[in-house]
């Protein structure tokens, strides 16, 4: 299985802050990484696919980078609606796996 | 508008059977794989398996093979996740999601989740 090491597991930030979440994979997976946002009681939302492609309708303050084994999700200016849990996912192997999540909380 | 609408919350006893559903609309249901993803209380996401409604081709994560059954009825654009004998450890939120694979593979639309509680 491809392991996804996501960090940090949680962070506290203020509105307007720049936030970066990292995902490291146990083997090289080109750009087969996606990022999702989860909020309690709501359907999960795709933010970024194939490492750096912004899903239509997602605000441009979200961006993704990386290839090989190291990937990042960045929120350039945190907004109140961005407080949520974020997950990376790899779809390189036939067994798709997720990171353990990063909870973004209000400072 | 693409929508995946899941069936409502369930409370079951250990040993009981259960089938939850995920109805797709706003797109050609037959042409997209539909996946199931588990989120246990306080935990992360786990991919369980996936089905292609056009021919019911189904793939399972090894962790869930033999534990659940994924099926679909293309005539009513609905996918299902089924248990024959529930365990307390099946308590979780279960999401369905549509797979898009134009650039890589990713879940572009998700259902709202079905909370399954298994308790005596």
């Amino acid at each position: 299985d491809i392991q996804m090491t996501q960090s940090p597991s949680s962070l506290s930030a203020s509105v307007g802050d720049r936030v970066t979440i990292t995902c490291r994979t146990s083997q090289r997976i080109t750009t087969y990484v996606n990022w999702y946002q989860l909020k309690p009681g709501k359907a999960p939302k795709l933010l970024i696919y194939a490492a750096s492609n912004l899903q239509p309708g997602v605000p441009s303050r979200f961006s993704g980078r990386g290839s090989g084994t190291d990937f990042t999700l960045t929120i350039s200016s945190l907004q109140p609606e961005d407080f949520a849990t974020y997950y990376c996912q790899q779809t390189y192997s036939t067994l798709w796996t997720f990171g353990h999540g990063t909870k973004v909380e209000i400072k | 508008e693409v929508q995946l609408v899941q069936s409502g919350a369930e409370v079951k006893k250990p040993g009981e059977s259960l089938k939850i559903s995920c109805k797709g609309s706003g797109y050609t249901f037959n042409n997209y794989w539909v996946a199931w993803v588990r989120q246990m209380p306080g935990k992360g996401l786990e991919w369980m398996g996936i089905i292609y409604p056009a021919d019911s081709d189904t793939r399972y994560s090894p962790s869930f093979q033999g534990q659940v059954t994924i099926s679909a009825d293309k005539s009513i654009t609905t996918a299902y996740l089924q248990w024959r004998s529930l365990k307390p450890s099946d308590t979780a939120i279960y999401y369905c999601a549509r797979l898009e694979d134009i650039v890589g593979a990713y879940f572009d639309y998700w259902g709202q989740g079905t909370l399954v509680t298994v308790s005596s």
Side-chain angles (χ1 to χ4, degrees):
Chain A
D1 302 0
I2 296 177
Q3 307 303 315
M4 310 284 287
T5 303
Q6 188 174 340
S7 61
S9 57
S10 65
L11 65 91
S12 295
S14 301
V15 172
D17 284 353
R18 182 182 182 88
V19 168
T20 297
I21 299 168
T22 297
C23 209
R24 175 165 287 175
T25 59
S26 58
Q27 64 185 72
R28 296 182 67 84
I29 61 169
T30 64
T31 57
Y32 282 78
V33 165
N34 312 307
W35 292 93
Y36 301 93
Q37 178 192 66
L38 267 72
K39 295 181 179 180
K42 299 190 75 174
K45 182 180 180 181
L46 172 69
L47 302 174
I48 301 288
Y49 63 93
S52 61
N53 295 274
L54 189 69
Q55 174 70 355
V58 173
S60 59
R61 63 181 179 272
F62 291 93
S63 64
R65 295 189 64 180
S67 67
T69 61
D70 294 297
F71 302 87
T72 58
L73 172 71
T74 297
I75 310 172
S76 60
S77 177
L78 200 64
Q79 298 302 301
E81 60 267 31
D82 301 336
F83 292 96
T85 303
Y86 295 84
Y87 290 88
C88 56
Q89 176 203 28
Q90 67 80 19
T91 53
Y92 179 81
S93 70
T94 55
L95 175 56
W96 298 333
T97 48
F98 293 87
H100 289 103
T102 296
K103 186 172 184 178
V104 177
E105 298 175 301
I106 301 172
K107 182 183 282 185
Chain B
E1 177 194 8
V2 173
Q3 284 193 305
L4 294 171
V5 178
Q6 297 185 230
S7 50
E10 302 274 1
V11 179
K12 292 290 193 179
K13 290 182 166 40
E16 291 185 331
S17 63
L18 177 64
K19 192 174 189 178
I20 63 175
S21 66
C22 168
K23 182 171 176 60
S25 62
Y27 71 101
T28 305
F29 185 75
N30 281 1
N31 292 357
Y32 291 82
W33 293 81
V34 175
W36 287 94
V37 175
R38 182 176 78 175
Q39 185 177 32
M40 298 177 74
K43 301 296 185 182
L45 302 174
E46 300 170 272
W47 172 65
M48 302 174 71
I50 197 164
I51 188 165
Y52 191 66
D55 60 7
S56 290
D57 185 9
T58 308
R59 320 279 171 84
Y60 293 93
S61 163
S63 298
F64 293 93
Q65 179 84 48
Q67 308 304 308
V68 296
T69 301
I70 294 171
S71 60
D73 185 339
K74 59 186 179 182
S75 69
I76 55 171
T77 67
T78 299
Y80 301 96
L81 179 64
Q82 183 174 10
W83 294 261
R84 282 194 299 179
S85 180
L86 286 160
K87 302 184 286 289
S89 58
D90 293 318
T91 296
I93 299 173
Y94 294 88
Y95 295 100
C96 62
R98 188 183 85 160
L99 179 73
E100 176 60 86
D101 59 2
I102 294 176
V103 178
Y106 49 94
F107 300 146
D108 61 347
Y109 290 93
W110 294 65
Q112 82 278 19
T114 296
L115 174 62
V116 174
T117 303
V118 184
S119 173
S120 54

